[in-house]
Amino acid sequence: MPIVETKYFDYGRKEMEYLAAADSVLGAAMVRLGRVEREVIPDLFAAMIYAVVGQLVSVRSAKTVWTHMLQNIGDITPENLSCVSDDAIQHCGMTMRKATVITTLSKKVVQGSICLSDLWNLSDQEVIRRLTAIKGIGLWTAQMLLINCMERPNVVSWGDVAIRRGMEKLYGFPKLTRDQFEICKNRYSPYGSVASIYLWKISFF
C-alpha cells in the first residue's frame, strides 16, 4: 500500500511558555497533558485531498476512507487521481460530491490552472482566499491546510467543532459564543495553532 509522508507539527518551549503566560487555564492543561503531537502532511496536494475527505465526518471515519483510498486507488498524486473515475473514488467510502471535487481538483492541478506551490509564499488570508475560490474548498478546509500541512503558527478555526468543544470543556462554557471564541483566539495569538492542537486533544476527554 502506498504511504503518504507525514511529520509532526513543529513547536517547542517558546510557544508553550507564551501560551501558559497568556492563559493560565490553558497553561495548566498543557502541563497536565504534556507535549501533544499533531501529525501533518507536508505535501500540499495530499493534504488537500485528506482535508476534503475529512469534511463533515469524524477523524476515525476520515482515516478509514483515507486507508481505503491508499489501498484501492494508490498514490495520492494529481496525476494518479486525475485518471481515476468519480465512482472509484466514491467507493472508497465518501459521497459522490466529495469524489467529484477530488477528481476535478486533480485534473486542474495537472492542467496547471491550479498551482499549489504558489501558496507557500502567501499570507494566511491570501491562502484562504485562493483556496476558497476552488469549488468544494471552504473556509474550514483551507484553515486545516494552514495547520495540517503548511504549519502556519496562528490558526484557530471557529468552524471546527472539536476546537469549539475543547474550549467549552477547558473553560466550562455551557455553549461557546462567538465573542468568547474571539477573546480566546486573540489571547492565544501569535501561537493559536499550538493552542488548537491542545484544544483538539482536550475535546476528546
Side-chain angles (χ1 to χ4, degrees), residues 16-28:
M16 296 178 71
E17 289 181 349
Y18 179 92
L19 290 170
D23 189 313
S24 60
V25 177
L26 176 60

Side-chain angles (χ1 to χ4, degrees), residues 136-150:
I137 305 296
L139 176 58
W140 176 85
T141 306
Q143 290 173 325
M144 292 307 99
L145 279 169
L146 286 171
I147 298 178
N148 297 329
C149 173
M150 305 178 80

Side-chain angles (χ1 to χ4, degrees), residues 16 22 33-34 46 51 55 75 109-110 118-119 126 136 144 148 185 194:
M16 296 178 71
L33 293 170
Q55 293 168 347
D75 293 326
V109 172
V110 170
D118 290 347
L119 299 178
E126 183 61 17
M144 292 307 99
N148 297 329
K185 178 182 175 181
V194 176

Side-chain angles (χ1 to χ4, degrees), residues 155-168:
V155 182
V156 187
S157 174
W158 167 259
D160 193 280
V161 174
I163 285 179
R164 297 203 306 271
R165 185 169 63 239
M167 285 187 178
E168 289 171 350

Side-chain angles (χ1 to χ4, degrees), residues 63-165:
K63 288 184 176 179
T64 297
V65 173
W66 187 247
T67 299
H68 289 166
M69 286 187 69
L70 291 171
Q71 290 173 336
N72 301 326
I73 305 298
D75 293 326
I76 306 300
T77 64
E79 293 77 15
N80 186 37
L81 294 185
S82 65
C83 297
V84 178
S85 70
D86 294 357
D87 285 341
I89 293 179
Q90 183 197 21
H91 288 158
C92 293
M94 70 187 78
T95 65
M96 180 56 77
R97 187 194 71 82
K98 286 186 183 182
T100 301
V101 167
I102 288 171
T103 56
T104 302
L105 173 63
S106 302
K107 290 172 182 175
K108 287 185 176 181
V109 172
V110 170
Q111 293 163 0
S113 58
I114 294 176
C115 185
L116 296 178
S117 61
D118 290 347
L119 299 178
W120 292 105
N121 298 319
L122 303 177
S123 68
D124 291 357
Q125 287 306 311
E126 183 61 17
V127 170
I128 289 171
R129 189 189 70 79
R130 293 204 185 186
L131 287 175
T132 53
I134 301 170
K135 185 176 181 179
I137 305 296
L139 176 58
W140 176 85
T141 306
Q143 290 173 325
M144 292 307 99
L145 279 169
L146 286 171
I147 298 178
N148 297 329
C149 173
M150 305 178 80
E151 298 186 70
R152 295 295 175 90
N154 196 29
V155 182
V156 187
S157 174
W158 167 259
D160 193 280
V161 174
I163 285 179
R164 297 203 306 271
R165 185 169 63 239

